[in-house]
Amino acid sequence: MLPPLKPIAIKERISLLFLEKGELDVLDGAFVLVDKNGVRTQIPVGSVACLMLEPGTRVSHAAVVLAARVGCLLAWVGEAGVRLYAAGQPGGARSDRLLYQAKLALDEEARLKVVRKMYEIRFQGPVPSQYSVMQLRGMEGARVRELYVQLARKYGFEWKGRNYDSSSWGSGDLPNRCLSSATACLYGICEAAVLAAGYAPAIGFIHSGKPLSFVYDVADLFKFDTVVPVAFRVAAENPFDPERAVRLACRDSFRETRLLRKVIPTIEEVLKAGGIPMPEPPEDALKPAIPEERGLSDAGHRG
C-alpha cells in the first residue's frame, strides 16, 4: 500500500487553472485531462489551489476523490468563469472554526469589530470610530468609484461605470467584461483558501445572504491590489480574446504578489479582531474515535 498523501500547503501552490472540452480522470496514477482525440494532458492537481471547469468538461469519480485528498477545489463555472454553478470542497470544514466564525457573525459587537478591521485593511489605516457600518460602506463605495475613474484615466479609456448583465454576457462593454472575468478568478482562489482553512463561505460579515458571502468579504481585501488593475490594463490593450487575456494576466499577478501566502493569514487576522477566543468543545462531547494525524500549516485538509 502507498503511504497516505500529504497535501501541499495552500501558500505553496499555484493559484488556479481553467480546463475545458475534455474528461478529467486518473490514468496510470496521474491526474489527466483527456480530449476527444484521446490526447492526455497531465494536471499537477496537488500543486494547484483551484481547478475551474468550464463547459465541455466531465469528471470521473477517481478524479474527484484524488482532488479531495490533495486539497484542490473543483469549481464548475460558465465560459470564461462568468458564472459559478457548483463547487467541491478541497479538504474539510473544521467544526471549531465553523462555530468560531458563526459566533463572531452572530455577536453584533464582535461582527462590527471584524467589519471595521476589514475596512481598515481596505483603507490601509484606521477608520473613524464613530462611523456605523452603513457609513463605512458609503466611504468604501465612494473610494471604489474614484479608483475606477483613476485607473481608466491611467490606461486611457472612458469609464462609464460598473454595469453588466450576468444573463447577457456580451451586452457589457469591454472594461466591465474584463473586470467580471478578473474578479471570478479572484473568487475562485479565495474560496479555495476559505475552505482549506476550515471556514464556511456563506457566513459573511459585510456581505450576507449568498453562498459565497465570506468569499466576497475576503476577495474585497485584495481586489484593488491584484485583479482590478489587471482588468483595466487588459481592457486598454483591446485583445482579440479579452477573457483569456484576463485569466492569464491574473495568473501572473497572483504569482507576482504571492497572493496565496496572504489569504489565510489575513482571514485569521480579521477574525481575531472580533475579540472572541476559539471555542473549546463541550466537556460531554465525544472525542474522535480515530485520532487525527498531524496536519499542515493550513487547517482543514483531510488527513
Side-chain angles (χ1 to χ4, degrees), residues 25-294:
D25 205 347
V26 179
L27 300 175
D28 300 328
F31 197 92
V32 297
L33 179 71
V34 185
D35 68 12
K36 64 180 181 180
N37 297 317
V39 176
R40 302 181 183 182
T41 302
Q42 291 194 8
I43 308 296
V45 64
S47 60
V48 180
C50 177
L51 290 178
M52 308 282 268
L53 308 181
E54 295 188 271
T57 55
R58 294 186 297 173
V59 189
S60 71
H61 182 276
V64 173
V65 170
L66 180 56
R69 289 183 66 194
V70 300
C72 177
L73 174 69
L74 298 180
W76 285 259
V77 299
E79 189 173 1
V82 299
R83 292 187 182 88
L84 174 65
Y85 297 119
Q89 191 167 347
R94 287 260 306 261
S95 61
D96 56 344
R97 292 173 183 263
L98 288 175
L99 293 171
Y100 175 53
Q101 183 185 5
K103 189 173 182 179
L104 288 167
L106 292 172
D107 186 305
E108 193 58 38
E109 183 179 350
R111 173 181 167 273
L112 180 58
K113 290 178 180 178
V114 172
V115 168
R116 294 182 65 83
K117 184 63 179 180
M118 289 180 172
Y119 280 117
E120 286 178 4
I121 292 175
R122 293 195 204 182
F123 287 110
Q124 298 181 351
V127 297
S129 59
Q130 71 275 18
Y131 277 26
S132 67
V133 174
M134 292 301 294
Q135 288 173 309
L136 291 173
R137 285 177 182 167
M139 288 176 58
E140 172 69 357
R143 183 184 76 98
V144 167
R145 288 190 293 271
E146 179 60 26
L147 286 172
Y148 284 151
V149 171
Q150 291 178 8
L151 285 169
R153 188 181 299 122
K154 175 181 178 180
Y155 290 106
F157 62 85
E158 182 183 1
W159 173 249
K160 299 179 181 178
R162 187 75 172 108
N163 183 28
Y164 72 101
D165 182 359
S166 61
S167 63
S168 180
W169 177 245
S171 64
D173 60 16
L174 180 60
N176 272 285
R177 286 162 52 200
C178 288
L179 195 53
S180 296
S181 294
T183 52
C185 294
L186 181 60
Y187 293 155
I189 63 169
C190 285
E191 184 180 6
V194 167
L195 289 169
Y199 295 105
I203 304 178
F205 294 84
I206 298 175
H207 295 84
S208 64
K210 293 285 188 178
L212 298 180
S213 292
F214 191 48
V215 174
Y216 301 147
D217 284 352
V218 174
D220 283 348
L221 302 176
F222 304 100
K223 186 178 294 184
F224 281 92
D225 295 327
T226 54
V227 298
V228 174
V230 165
F232 277 70
R233 174 171 56 80
V234 172
E237 296 169 355
N238 194 22
F240 173 74
D241 187 349
E243 286 82 7
R244 183 176 186 275
V246 165
R247 295 202 301 265
L248 294 176
C250 285
R251 177 200 63 189
D252 294 340
S253 175
F254 296 153
R255 182 183 297 118
E256 291 166 4
T257 60
R258 297 189 174 184
L259 179 61
L260 286 176
R261 290 180 175 268
K262 303 174 184 178
V263 179
I264 292 179
T266 301
I267 292 173
E268 305 289 355
E269 179 186 356
V270 297
L271 295 183
K272 185 179 179 181
I276 294 179
M278 188 78 71
E280 295 291 336
E283 294 183 2
D284 58 350
L286 289 173
K287 302 297 183 182
I290 302 174
E292 293 183 356
E293 296 180 6
R294 184 177 179 180

